[in-house]
Amino acid sequence: MNNSREIILDKLRKAKAVGATNGLKIRLSQEEASASVFVPAQGDLSEHFKSELEKISGNCFIVENIIEAGQKISERLKEESIDNVYCSENDLAIKLSSIAFTDDPEAVKTCKATITGCEYLIARTGSVMVSNANKSERRPHVAPDLHIVVGLKSQLVPDLIEALQGMMLKYKDKLPSWISNITGPSRTADIEKTLILGAHGPKKLVVFIVGNENS
């Protein structure tokens, strides 16, 4: 035996052989067995989502309506000197009519920013659940330097299980072929343990949570 795993296993086998583990039982109560191993989202889900996303280098703005969201998006695009923006979701583009978009599928390859909606906003992890059920499909979520997500307060859920249950209820037996969670900007520390943003996708993720979905 030349590794730690085998040493530990050998000790366990010997303990079992001499009867040291006889009668040893660990039983969880029903409450313990069903309890989450994660700390649940606390307080206002919007604020919790914002806090968690900003811990992982994302940005989040909680706004009253889509007009305010549009104003802040325009300001951000101006700050970044971005004038080529892709958005293929018609309803979203109409609501953000003050911003000039292109919906040419080929343009997503070169646009510096994309704007999409989402399926759910998961408060506990600050994650954005997306799918290919809408016209955006997959590329707008991974191709640009800046990914802007416009979500509704009604799309906030405490944890992943509620989001998955919502997807099952919404799509029933016709689930999208691609469902993914975006948790902050793309990042990796594979090379010399140095954190690099934008390694496999957007360098920046900005999420807008719109309180009044009818405005």
Side-chain angles (χ1 to χ4, degrees):
M1 288 175 288
N2 56 4
N3 60 61
S4 298
R5 178 177 180 274
E6 286 301 323
I7 292 171
I8 293 170
L9 288 175
D10 183 60
K11 289 181 178 180
L12 290 173
R13 293 187 190 104
K14 289 177 178 178
K16 184 177 181 181
V18 299
T21 60
N22 290 349
L24 181 62
K25 293 182 179 180
I26 298 175
R27 293 183 178 177
L28 298 177
S29 67
Q30 184 175 357
E31 183 179 351
E32 289 172 324
S34 60
S36 172
V37 297
F38 302 107
V39 177
Q42 302 290 332
D44 181 78
L45 292 184
S46 298
E47 293 294 343
H48 193 98
F49 178 92
K50 175 180 171 68
S51 174
E52 293 302 313
L53 179 59
E54 291 179 347
K55 287 178 185 178
I56 48 177
S57 304
N59 295 121
C60 180
F61 297 91
I62 302 170
V63 297
E64 288 292 328
N65 50 54
I66 196 68
I67 295 174
E68 185 181 353
Q71 292 170 344
K72 289 188 177 295
I73 291 172
S74 295
E75 292 170 3
R76 181 60 179 261
L77 294 173
K78 187 175 181 180
E79 289 174 6
E80 302 272 349
S81 299
I82 295 175
D83 56 10
N84 53 343
V85 184
Y86 177 85
C87 179
S88 61
E89 298 179 39
N90 293 335
D91 291 345
L92 189 54
I94 291 170
K95 291 178 180 179
L96 297 172
S97 57
S98 61
I99 301 170
F101 300 111
T102 178
D103 61 358
D104 179 359
E106 292 301 311
V108 73
K109 299 176 183 178
T110 56
C111 280
K112 295 296 184 182
T114 57
I115 302 178
T116 73
C118 64
E119 294 283 1
Y120 288 98
L121 300 171
I122 301 169
R124 185 179 67 78
T125 57
S127 301
V128 180
M129 179 173 281
V130 295
S131 79
N132 63 340
N134 55 41
K135 194 177 177 182
S136 283
E137 298 183 334
R138 184 174 184 270
R139 286 187 295 177
H141 303 106
V142 298
D145 289 337
L146 171 62
H147 180 199
I148 297 173
V149 176
V150 179
L152 303 173
K153 193 169 184 178
S154 60
Q155 291 176 298
L156 276 162
V157 292
D159 212 335
L160 181 60
I161 184 64
E162 288 85 2
L164 293 174
Q165 290 170 344
M167 293 293 286
M168 296 291 291
L169 185 64
K170 179 179 180 180
Y171 294 104
K172 297 182 171 56
D173 59 346
K174 296 183 179 179
L175 278 173
S177 60
W178 177 75
I179 301 172
S180 183
N181 272 349
I182 301 171
T183 307
S186 173
R187 59 201 184 279
T188 184
D190 290 344
I191 302 172
E192 297 183 351
K193 307 300 180 183
T194 301
L195 182 63
I196 299 173
L197 297 180
H200 309 293
K203 295 178 181 178
K204 300 172 185 177
L205 175 66
V206 182
V207 177
F208 289 86
I209 302 175
V210 180
N212 185 353
E213 56 191 272
N214 296 316
S215 61

